[in-house]
Amino acid sequence: MNAPDDSPTPNAVDGRRYLQPKRAERAERLASPFKILPSGEAAGPQGDCASGVTTSKDLQVAELEAQARNALHLGVSDACNNSCSFCLNARVDGKIDGAAPRPPTLEETQLVIDRGYAAGMRECWFTVAEPTIGKHIVEAVAYAREVGFEVIGMNTNGRRLGKKALIDRLVDAGLNRLMLSMHGHSAAVHDYIVQRNGAYDQVIEGLERLEQLRDSHDIQLHMLHVLCKPSYPHIADMYAFFKRWARPEKGDKLSYTCLKLLGSTLFDGVFDELGMRYDEMVKEWLRVWYDLGRPPEMLLSEVPGCVVVAQAPPGGPIPTIDVPEHRFTRDGLEQGKTTPNANDVQPMSVVLDEIAITYDDDDNYCKHEGCKSCLVESVCPGIMVEYVKRFGFGEFPPILELPEIVKPSHGGGGGGPLLDDPARLGLLASWLLGLGPAELARLRLVPTGARLDDERFAFTLDGPGGFSLSLFVERRDDAKPAFGRTSRLNLSYKASAEHGFIGQLLKRLARAHRGDGFDDFAEAWGAARDGRTPGGDAPLAAAGGAA
């Protein structure tokens, strides 16, 4: 019997039924238009809070959904100078399935960059294979900056960064995010896993130069470390290695990525040699995380959140749940091939000339019936099909209660101290915009930070699909550009994408504070920081502002 049209399609793995998650539809839902309700107006029956009551669960889930970003991923290389046994692209000795490398031309790369920007994306990542081998990587980064991308990142093994001042040229071209695959805290572990002697020392050379550049450039470092049998005993050692290079003010992070049953890991014997069950890895990782004081910049990725919750101490906090970005890639079409009809492409796809930029709806993942009741179903990609074939669904109970989540710092945001406590940000949002927790949840907006220095007050909200909006308040100065002004203030904003509701928010801000000066915003920031309601003396618990 066929499943209803509005349900995931049932399938079978070794006789077990599973559900194929419809990530494209989820992404489309999360990217739905915002709607500003007049202050005090209740949501309709189709609203996110149909009952008119918003719980802490609603806010936690909304905040997780807001972490999903729209990002363009593309390659300038189709080769690699490492030979990791667990390569996701089934790459061995620099070749994919025995085929010789076939890198794209600069013109092809520029076309995809143009199309991605036209489609509304503002985050561009060079990720496929090893980007530093690409002949045109510096030119491609520079072009992404020229087009207007705000986040320009690269996922690299780091071996070539220190050669011929490559990292200098990349940073000068516009690179502002570096995702470094670092699989060991020492040469013995790292070189063994990547199967290249001397690789560790080459990475260190690049990191040393990067450290110097970061004194004058805003570059965020995100290390990726695959958890497997050779690295599993060194979780704490890897964190110590990361701390040697990390700068908290930049928002640096270390992600321990659970080994995936994809690519080379599916080759005979590879998973048996390197792989482990999720529950075993997560239990040990959490033990170390607690022993280290639960550092927020230490993350766990590529593992369903339900495993983390199940293995955490009862009532204890967990690290932030891994929320995959909405990844858009070139669909593999070659120039001259027939362009697919737009109706035949997934809802989040954009068909542009001979290039299809397609949201990654991955058939390698599945879900079980219990996932329907899980609180984080909307942000979970599912469980790897090949993993289910080996171990079944026993490790993946649905999450019915979310514990406290320890969130990493986003870094950046200019000078001044950062206020990022959810409850205190809720107090500030209510004073600033007249929007309480229920209204923010209906808008699918989550306050994520507030900063104050001598010249500017900044308040940041995140929304669906990676949307981010920062509202800025400064003393009135007609010589400076501004979106709007009151008698005493300049009001402006920066957003990852334009929405009509932004103007409504700024008008609301202007009306609410038409007589206020900059000092009033400084006082409100200080009150919220101290757990008091801005404009009053009520403590946090009495103010009802807990998120």
Side-chain angles (χ1 to χ4, degrees), residues 244-302:
R244 159 68 179 82
W245 307 100
R247 297 194 180 186
E249 73 277 8
K250 303 284 189 183
D252 293 349
K253 303 175 183 66
L254 168 62
S255 287
Y256 293 77
T257 301
C258 292
L259 186 66
K260 300 175 71 172
L261 267 162
L262 275 180
S264 301
T265 314
L266 297 176
F267 293 171
D268 288 344
V270 172
F271 186 82
D272 293 331
E273 178 185 353
L274 299 177
M276 301 175 65
R277 286 174 57 102
Y278 285 138
D279 51 7
E280 295 174 355
M281 285 191 290
V282 170
K283 184 175 182 179
E284 175 62 11
W285 188 94
L286 286 170
R287 184 194 66 78
V288 175
W289 186 63
Y290 269 82
D291 286 348
L292 292 171
R294 306 194 301 265
E297 67 275 15
M298 185 173 165
L299 310 176
L300 192 58
S301 64
E302 299 295 351

Side-chain angles (χ1 to χ4, degrees), residues 115-131:
R115 300 311 189 239
Y117 189 86
M121 283 169 270
R122 296 297 179 265
E123 189 168 334
C124 178
W125 283 87
F126 298 92
T127 56
V128 180
E130 174 48 46

